[in-house]
Amino acid sequence: MSLIPRGSLLDLDNMFEQMLSPTRAIGSEREGFFSPRIDVSERKNMYEISAELPGVGKDDISVTLENGVLTLEAEVHREVKEKKDGRVLRQERRYGKFLRSFNLGEDVRENEIDANFKDGILTLTVPKHEGHPPQRKRIEVH
């Protein structure tokens, strides 16, 4: 399984955008788009992926698997409240869409992936194939 953190120098999707926009700090969110904080752990027989999704409802989460790539998506909508007297002094909550993708590789049992959402935390359990250690093959350079 591989994971390239959003905003890292290895994030090719954003590399050119960062070079063209030097005032934007690496790791900052684009307007209306953010990446949830993720924990990935490996056990003998499975991977566990946990994502913080505060303010997201269970029905607003989409988890898809396509060509070995697991994708988490959701959208957090801003509550529009009419303010007659007053103003917002500080707003730090994030709104918009999020997206995170993981290349699961070939050592997982894709049809047995399980997802659980509780208290704003999405936890995915990704079982590994038993007895199939990742293979490493040396490629001869000609």
Side-chain angles (χ1 to χ4, degrees), residues 14-72:
N14 294 322
M15 180 175 70
F16 293 110
E17 183 180 5
Q18 290 170 0
M19 290 186 334
L20 297 174
S21 179
T23 58
R24 195 175 133 237
I26 294 174
S28 65
E29 285 91 18
R30 288 178 267 167
E31 185 66 32
F33 185 86
F34 67 94
S35 293
R37 305 228 184 261
I38 303 284
D39 291 336
V40 180
S41 58
E42 180 179 12
R43 297 192 183 134
K44 180 181 175 185
N45 61 349
M46 68 176 204
Y47 295 105
E48 185 175 272
I49 302 167
S50 297
E52 286 183 347
L53 304 176
V56 176
K58 177 182 165 186
D59 295 334
D60 296 327
I61 299 171
S62 171
V63 181
T64 58
L65 181 65
E66 183 176 351
N67 297 325
V69 176
L70 182 73
T71 301
L72 312 177

Side-chain angles (χ1 to χ4, degrees), residues 49 51 58 61 114-118 120-125:
I49 302 167
K58 177 182 165 186
I61 299 171
D114 184 54
N116 184 26
F117 185 66
K118 182 178 179 184
I121 305 292
L122 175 65
T123 303
L124 298 164
T125 304

Side-chain angles (χ1 to χ4, degrees), residues 42-103:
E42 180 179 12
R43 297 192 183 134
K44 180 181 175 185
N45 61 349
M46 68 176 204
Y47 295 105
E48 185 175 272
I49 302 167
S50 297
E52 286 183 347
L53 304 176
V56 176
K58 177 182 165 186
D59 295 334
D60 296 327
I61 299 171
S62 171
V63 181
T64 58
L65 181 65
E66 183 176 351
N67 297 325
V69 176
L70 182 73
T71 301
L72 312 177
E73 294 181 79
E75 186 167 359
V76 179
H77 298 280
R78 179 184 306 202
E79 293 178 22
V80 179
K81 295 181 182 178
E82 189 175 321
K83 303 222 187 303
K84 294 186 181 190
D85 292 324
R87 59 190 171 123
V88 176
L89 298 176
R90 184 174 189 102
Q91 186 167 8
E92 295 182 356
R93 292 171 43 197
R94 292 182 274 184
Y95 302 96
K97 294 182 181 184
F98 83 81
L99 171 75
R100 286 300 290 267
S101 294
F102 306 88
N103 182 351

